[in-house]
Amino acid sequence: MAVTSPPTSPEGPVGVEFVGRLVAGRFPEWGGLPVRAVPSAGTDNVMFRLGDDLVVRLPRVAYAARHVEKEQRWLPLLAPHLPLAVPVPVGRAEPGPEFPYPWSVYRWLDGDDTYNAPLTDLAHAAVELGRFGAALRAVDASDGPASFRGGPVTAWEEGQLPAAVRDLAADGLVDAGLATAAWEAVLRLPQWDGPPVWVHGDLLPGNLLGRGGRLSAVIDFGGLGTGDPACDTLPAWTLFTAATRPLFREAARVDDATWARGRGWALAWGLVTEHHYRERNEVLAAVARRTRTEALAEYAELAGATAS
C-alpha cells in the first residue's frame, strides 16, 4: 500500500513517540496510554491508536487542518440522526510549538476499511449506505458550510479532465472517444436547483469500515458540508456492482437527474484521480480506475440503448 508522508513537527516526521509526548502534554489523563500507528493511504490526515478506545487524528497539511473545527462542531449534532456509526470527537487540541495544526482525539471505531478488507455482503451495504445518505440529507443544513464537493461536477473537474483523458488514452488505458462523449453528456445534464443539503463528500472505500464482511461505520468527514447530493452517490460506482447498484439507489432516494450527475461524478473523479495518483498512491489510483471503468461501461450501455 502506498502511504503518503506523515506530517512534520519541529523535531521531524511525526511518529509514535512524538504523538505520545504530544498527548501527554495536552491530555495528561491519557498520557500513559500506548500509541500505535494506523496504516492508511489517506492524503489529508494521519492517525494513531491511543489505548484501546481512542484514536488521535493529525492533519498532514494546512488545508486539512481547516476541517478540524467543522468536524468538532457538526459530528456530535449529526451522529444521532445517522443509521451508521460515525466518529465521535472527545478532545481537541489547538496548534502549538510542538505541532503547527489543530488536532483531534476520537472514540475508536472498530473495523477494517473496505478497501483493505472488501465487504462480502454488498446488498446489505448498498441498503445501509443508501439510508445513510438519505438520513444525512434530511438533517437541517441551513447553517452548514459548503462542501468542497458540493458544487456542480462540471465546475470541479472541467479543467483537469481533458488532460486526464488525453494521457490515459495515450497509455491505452481509456477509450478517448467514449470518455469524451460521456463527459459531453454530463455537461448537458440539468444542475441541482434545490436548497443545499448535507453531504459527506468523500464516501470512498477507505472511508467506510466493515466488520465480518458487513458495513459498520462511515469515517473521515473532512468533506462534510452542504451542496448537491450527487457527489454522495459515488459509492454506486466506487463500491457496488451492477446487481447491487439499484439497491443503493432505492435506499438513497435520489431522483433521475441526481443519479445521472452522480454517474458524472464517477466518470470525472475516476479519470482525474487515476491520472493524478497513478504513480503517487496506488490505492487511490486503483479505486479511481474501478470507478471510471464502471461509469464508462454504463455510458456505453446507455449509448447503445439510445442508438438502437
Side-chain angles (χ1 to χ4, degrees):
M1 175 189 295
V3 179
T4 53
S5 300
T8 59
S9 72
E11 303 175 20
V14 168
V16 168
E17 292 184 3
F18 173 82
V19 172
R21 293 195 300 273
L22 195 63
V23 170
R26 180 59 180 83
F27 302 106
E29 66 272 29
W30 298 326
L33 296 176
V35 178
R36 291 164 283 168
V38 179
S40 171
T43 58
D44 290 354
N45 298 275
V46 62
M47 296 190 298
F48 293 83
R49 186 102 177 250
L50 184 60
D52 292 329
D53 301 319
L54 303 172
V55 63
V56 176
R57 192 162 182 257
L58 301 166
R60 295 182 187 272
V61 289
Y63 73 79
R66 296 195 296 268
H67 301 157
V68 171
E69 180 179 358
K70 174 178 64 178
E71 294 175 344
Q72 289 274 342
R73 176 183 177 184
W74 290 106
L75 276 173
L77 298 175
L78 293 172
H81 302 281
L82 303 176
L84 290 167
V86 300
V88 177
V90 294
R92 171 179 172 172
E94 297 303 322
E98 305 89 355
F99 190 72
Y101 307 131
W103 50 279
S104 299
V105 180
Y106 289 88
R107 291 289 178 198
W108 173 255
L109 290 174
D110 202 19
D112 298 303
D113 77 67
T114 62
Y115 178 86
N116 288 315
L119 299 170
T120 55
D121 193 342
L122 283 180
H124 169 268
V127 173
E128 291 302 303
L129 195 56
R131 289 175 177 168
F132 172 89
L136 183 60
R137 293 198 314 273
V139 180
D140 180 21
S142 55
D143 295 327
S147 170
F148 68 83
R149 287 196 180 139
V153 61
T154 53
W156 189 69
E157 297 288 16
E158 195 170 6
Q160 303 171 67
L161 194 65
V165 172
R166 180 194 65 225
D167 293 347
L168 293 174
D171 291 342
L173 300 174
V174 169
D175 180 329
L178 175 60
T180 300
W183 181 243
E184 289 174 350
V186 175
L187 295 176
R188 294 192 294 269
L189 291 172
Q191 296 305 306
W192 176 253
D193 59 0
V197 296
W198 282 111
V199 296
H200 177 279
D202 206 21
L203 291 175
L204 303 179
N207 294 333
L208 306 173
L209 299 184
R211 298 182 65 183
R214 295 190 128 202
L215 181 65
S216 61
V218 177
I219 61 173
D220 193 346
F221 281 73
L224 177 70
T226 65
D228 177 359
C231 64
D232 273 359
T233 65
L234 258 178
W237 299 274
T238 61
L239 182 64
F240 298 123
T241 62
T244 54
R245 215 165 280 146
L247 298 175
F248 173 71
R249 179 178 180 179
E250 181 180 3
R253 301 202 303 269
V254 296
D255 59 27
D256 291 346
T258 300
W259 188 255
R261 291 194 306 277
R263 189 187 298 112
W265 267 95
L267 172 72
W269 181 87
L271 289 168
V272 171
T273 302
E274 181 183 6
H275 180 246
H276 182 75
Y277 282 112
R278 56 183 174 159
E279 296 179 357
R280 308 180 193 192
N281 187 315
E282 62 189 57
V283 171
L284 279 175
V287 174
R289 188 175 307 115
R290 197 264 190 192
T291 304
R292 59 89 172 161
T293 298
E294 293 288 318
L296 282 171
E298 285 200 2
Y299 280 111
E301 183 178 349
L302 290 170
T306 302
S308 62

